[in-house]
Amino acid sequence: MSGERLSLLIIGGYGTFGGRLARLLGDEPRLRLLIAGRSLEKADDFVADLRSPKDGSEGLGSSALGASLQAVAFDRDGDLAEQLTRLRPDLVVDASGPFQSFGQDPYKVVRACIGLDIDYADLADSTGFVAAIGGLDAEARAKGVFALSGLSSLPALSFAALDVMAPLFARIEAVAAGIAPSSHVKIGRNVVGAIASYAGKKVSRLSDGKASSGHGLIEAMRLTVAPPGAVPLRSRTFLLVDAPDLALLPARFAGLQSSFTGVGTEPQPLQRLLGLSARLVRMRLLPSLTPFARLMQRASHAFAFGEHRGGMFVRASGIDAAGKRLTAGWHLIAEGDDGPFIPVIAVEVLVRRLLAGARPAPGARAAAGELRLADFEAAFRRFSITTGIRRECEAEAQPLYRQILGSAFDRLPPAVAAIHAGGARTASGRAQIERGGGWLARVVARLIGFPKAGEDVPVTVRFAAAGDGEIWTRTFGDKSFRSILVEGKGRDRHLLTEVFGPFRVLLALVPEGQRLRLVVRGWRFLGIPLPLFLAPGGETYEEERDGRFHFHVEIGGRLTGLVVRYTGWLVVE
C-alpha cells in the first residue's frame, strides 16, 4: 500500500461504471482514489461533484470522512510505464471499454501492470478478452501479482450464484443467465457499442453438448425474474448476448449440454425492433449495427417507460442426487436506481477484502468463481436489492402457496402457513363486511356473488384440491361464492391467479414481517388483458394476531370505487 492508504487507479473513473465504483468506495478513508481518463477536465469535474455536499452531509473525500480523491489524466495509448510509475497505484481497475475493440494489443495495460508489480482487475464483458487473459498467468505468478478479468455481473456474480446451487445437483446439464435492466437506466455508449458489435453475428455457445453458434440478439428465451417472496418483474424475452460465461462454463461443469446468456430490456417492443435489425445483419443486408450504436443508445433513453426495477437470473437444470430432474434458479431484483451499481459491486467486494487483508492468489485469470455469493449479498444490504433461489423438481408436487413462494413460504407466521398447507381442509371464524355504494360496484359484486354488508358474520372457507390449483368456497352467513386459484403459466409464472367467473386477477405474494401481502400485477376478462391502472385493487393481506389467522381483503377500482371489503379471522378445523 502507498503510505497508509491503498492507492486505486480507476481507468475510466468518470465514466458510467468507473463513476459508480468511485461512489461506492468514496466513503472508505483507507483509500486513495485516482479518477483517471483521457480528459483531465472531465476527471476534475467528476471529483468536484463527489466532493460537493449533498443532502446536508459532507462530500466524499472531506477531512472528516472518506477516501482521498485525485483527478488524473491517463491515456491507455500513451507511455503506460511512465504513467503508472508516476501515479504509483497499488491496484489498477480498468472500467473503460468496450473491451471488444481494444485492437491488436488488448492486454497492454495488463502487461504494464504486471511488469511494474501492480495488481490489476477489470469489468470486461468481452468473451475473448476474459477467456484469454490466462495467457499472462505465468508472468503474473512470477511477479506475485494478480490480474482478474470479468469482475462484473457476468461472470463474477453469475458464477458465485452457480457455486451455491451446484451442490443441489449430481449433474448440471444446462445453464442460462440473463440481465434485465430497468428501462429508466441510462445505458452507457460502450455497453451499447459492445452489443452492436456482435448483433446478428455468430456467438459461440453449447447446444446438445457440442460447441455451436447462435446469433447475437436473435436466439431467445422467455423467463420471469422472481426472487422468492418479492413482486416479480414483468415476464420478458431475453435475447442472446456474447458474455464470458459462454466460454467459461464448459470447463466448470463437465457434461454440460447447453448454455445461454441474454439481456431482456424494456420496453420489449423496442427490443423486438433491435432483434429484427440483428436479423438484417445475419441476412447480410447490413454489415453491422455498430454505425447505429449512438442511435440505439438514444432510443433506449427516449423510451424509458414502465417500472423502474431491474433484475438478473442464473438458472441451472440437471439431475439431483436422487436421480430426479431438477431446475434451480437464483433470482435478483433491484429497485429504482440501485440496479446500475450491481456490475461494479464485485470490484467493491475485492477492494474491501484487500483492505481486510484477504488477497487473491497471484496469477492472471478470469474472475469466475473468485468471489462468494455471500460477499455480494453482504454488499447488497446497502441497496434495495432482493435475491433468492427457487427449486423446481418435476417429480415433486407442492402446495399452491409453497410452489409460488418457494423458500419464502418458510418465513410465513405459523397460522398463515397452516391456512395454505394444501389438501382438503376447512376453516371457520367471524367476519365484518362492507359493500360499496356505487351502481357499478353493486353490479360487479352481484356478478361475482360477494356477500352483503354485515357485522360479526359467521364465515367458513372450504379448500379443495383441483389439479394443480385449489377451489376456495367462502360462505358468509348463508351466502356463498367461490373462486379458483392456480399458479400462473407462461408470462404469468410465479404469480397467483384467482379466477372469479369471467375475470382472472394476477397477484404477487409478498411476505412482510407478520403479514403476507397480495399485490395485484394484472387482470384479464375472458382471457383478454386489461389495463393495470383499472385493475381491482386495495389493501389486501393475511396476518397472524394472537396466534390466529386474520384476513383483510379489499376489492375496488378507479371505475367502481369500493366493491367489497371483508375482514376477520379463521381457524382451521
Side-chain angles (χ1 to χ4, degrees), residues 431-455:
Q432 175 178 319
I433 307 160
E434 301 172 62
R435 286 277 294 268
W439 69 269
L440 186 54
R442 293 196 300 271
V443 169
V444 172
R446 190 175 298 115
L447 178 65
I448 296 176
F450 288 135
K452 296 180 180 179
E455 299 281 342

Side-chain angles (χ1 to χ4, degrees), residues 76 94 96-108 120 129:
R76 65 182 314 115
D94 195 343
S96 62
F99 288 80
Q100 289 87 347
S101 60
F102 273 180
Q104 297 297 315
D105 189 8
Y107 297 107
K108 58 186 178 183
Y120 168 90
F129 187 94

Side-chain angles (χ1 to χ4, degrees), residues 129-142:
F129 187 94
V130 176
I133 196 171
L136 300 174
D137 185 58
E139 296 176 43
R141 286 175 181 271

